[in-house]
Each structure stands twice: as C-alpha cells, then as structure tokens.
Amino acid sequence: MSTIMNPHELRFRRTGRTLYILIGLWVGAMAVVWALAELAPHSKSDAAYMIFALLFSTLFVAIFIVSVLRMIAYIRWTGKYPYYFLFKRPSTSTDRGGKSSRGH
C-alpha cells in the first residue's frame, strides 16, 4: 500500500539523513586531524592547516544550511514551531491608546 507523502515531510526526512551524514563527516574529519596531529606533532604546514580549516568551515556551513532547511520543512509540514517553549506567548491585551483593558 503506497501513500503519497507531503512534500514538506519528504524534505524533512531527506534533510535528516543528509544532516546525519554531514555531522558524521565533520566529526570524522576532526578525528583524522587529531590523529595526524598526535602522530606528527612537530610538522606544521600552513597549506595543510588551510585545507583542513577550509574543510571544517565548509562542512559547518553545510550543516547549518541543512539544519535551517530541516526546521523550515518541519514548520511547513506540521504548522508548529519546534521550539515553542523558548518563547512566551504574547498577552492578548486590547490596550490601545493608554487605557487598561478594564476601562479605567
């Protein structure tokens, strides 16, 4: 039995997989650099440093972008903000023009 998925749900699921892969690559790259630094602590090459810095920053920016796309897809799919508890609800006061809501 096949069901047609909402396009926002599909994007939410795909960005989740992509996000896990990107985070795994980022952590793996950090582990490789740490292992190389432990093996050869005295060899410091500016070119290698620039390549790894560029790789880390590129992966971090990709993780940020995919995270934002995932949150937008979730909001469009469910109609709810996932972190509602971070913000207080605005008071529904009808106070306009300096008068209180009781008419005083």
Side-chain angles (χ1 to χ4, degrees), residues 1-66:
M1 189 162 137
S2 72
T3 59
I4 299 173
M5 259 196 220
N6 184 338
H8 302 298
E9 179 184 4
L10 188 62
R11 177 171 290 145
F12 177 77
R13 293 181 189 276
R14 285 184 181 163
T15 54
R17 291 182 200 122
T18 306
L19 190 59
Y20 293 138
I21 290 169
L22 286 172
I23 290 173
L25 287 172
W26 193 58
V27 170
M30 284 192 294
V32 167
V33 170
W34 178 76
L36 290 176
E38 288 295 318
L39 291 176
H42 298 295
S43 66
K44 295 184 179 184
S45 170
D46 289 337
Y49 175 75
M50 289 301 293
I51 290 170
F52 286 126
L54 194 65
L55 176 69
F56 290 151
S57 58
T58 304
L59 283 171
F60 186 77
V61 168
I63 288 170
F64 180 77
I65 290 171
V66 171

